[in-house]
Amino acid sequence: PTAPARLPYVPHVPPMALLGKVTATTFALERPRCVFDGHADAFDAVWLAVAFANASATFRNPLSRADVPVYKQLPTARSYMTLETAAAAYSCSAPSPPVLRVGGDTACRDQGRQDPCNGPLPSPGPYRVKFLLMGCRGPKAETRWSEPILLRRAVSPSTIDPVPPRRGSAVVVIASILASLGAVLATAVLGALGAKVWGSLCHRDLGTDAFIRRSYRTHHIPPALPQPLPPGCSCSPPGPC
């Protein structure tokens, strides 16, 4: 078969700020536009080849769609192909999203069939990718391999320090001074309110409001005793039975 045309385009992660541009299992890739114009026909498809960086040199383009390496073989074959897309979606006039996400289909882990899948990447990598234009007679054009793309590493719980960092002595002194000032201010406010209330009581005219002392006979009321516990109930302080 005829060797595919080598295109100068190099796939890359988009340079603009993007939420989740690189995660522990996925990464965003800029969608190539106008790259395959002049090489693609109406029925051609563009694939993305994904390989571990140290295995990209040994990757071999499949001769037909039946030979495409699938996601399930990545741990052993060290590469796979995914994101099969009609070549027209990459033309200059196609209204398409600006980025692609590699590894975004979490349902791939549960699929038993051998169809191409865009499953989560199993390790940080690094990975290299390239686009491959496939026709009915095999590969027609391919881009260059990307630079190595390293995913984020998950933080191990054992590396997290459970003890918060100690504050500096200056911060502790300032906090103590502020707390003391707050206590003094609260005491002054309460004292002023108490003096005002006491003064109003002292100046009240008790001539007509004075009560007459009367003699009262009080009855002795024994203290209330706790009720006996019902059988089989045990209590433990401080809560009730």
Side-chain angles (χ1 to χ4, degrees):
T2 305
R6 295 292 302 275
L7 306 177
Y9 180 81
V10 178
H12 57 275
V13 175
M16 66 277 204
L18 185 67
L19 184 64
K21 182 162 58 174
V22 177
T23 70
T25 57
T26 69
F27 63 89
L29 201 64
E30 187 173 81
R31 177 186 287 265
R33 298 190 61 186
C34 310
V35 173
F36 305 103
D37 291 0
H39 299 276
D41 295 330
F43 298 101
D44 294 344
V46 175
W47 291 77
L48 180 71
V50 184
F52 284 100
N54 57 5
S56 60
T58 59
F59 179 84
R60 295 292 178 265
N61 294 330
L63 299 180
S64 66
R65 191 184 188 281
D67 301 324
V68 167
V70 294
Y71 165 77
K72 190 176 181 180
Q73 300 175 356
L74 175 60
T76 55
R78 311 292 291 172
S79 61
Y80 71 104
M81 289 174 61
T82 185
L83 296 179
E84 180 185 15
T85 307
Y90 295 102
S91 64
C92 296
S93 59
S96 56
V99 296
L100 305 170
R101 179 159 296 278
V102 182
D105 189 358
T106 57
C108 291
R109 293 175 176 174
D110 302 326
Q111 292 178 352
R113 59 184 186 271
Q114 295 293 319
D115 59 338
C117 190
N118 183 27
L121 299 171
S123 69
Y127 301 91
R128 300 180 75 183
V129 298
K130 73 173 181 178
F131 289 96
L132 181 63
L133 176 66
M134 295 274 292
C136 59
R137 296 184 180 180
K140 298 177 64 175
E142 63 179 350
T143 68
R144 298 182 182 274
W145 285 100
S146 69
E147 295 296 324
I149 301 172
L150 182 65
L151 303 187
R152 295 183 180 274
R153 296 179 181 270
V155 178
S156 174
S158 60
T159 62
I160 301 176
D161 187 4
V163 181
R166 298 182 63 182
R167 296 181 178 178
S169 57
V171 176
V172 174
V173 171
I174 293 174
S176 301
I177 293 175
L178 292 177
S180 301
L181 291 177
V184 172
L185 181 60
T187 303
V189 171
L190 292 177
L193 291 176
K196 185 176 181 181
V197 172
W198 180 257
S200 63
L201 292 176
C202 291
H203 289 83
R204 180 180 296 178
D205 185 8
L206 299 180
T208 58
D209 297 335
F211 61 88
I212 302 174
R213 295 184 180 179
R214 295 181 181 179
S215 176
Y216 292 93
R217 296 183 61 185
T218 59
H219 299 277
H220 177 69
I221 302 176
L225 299 177
Q227 297 294 326
L229 300 178
C233 181
S234 61
C235 296
S236 59
C241 174

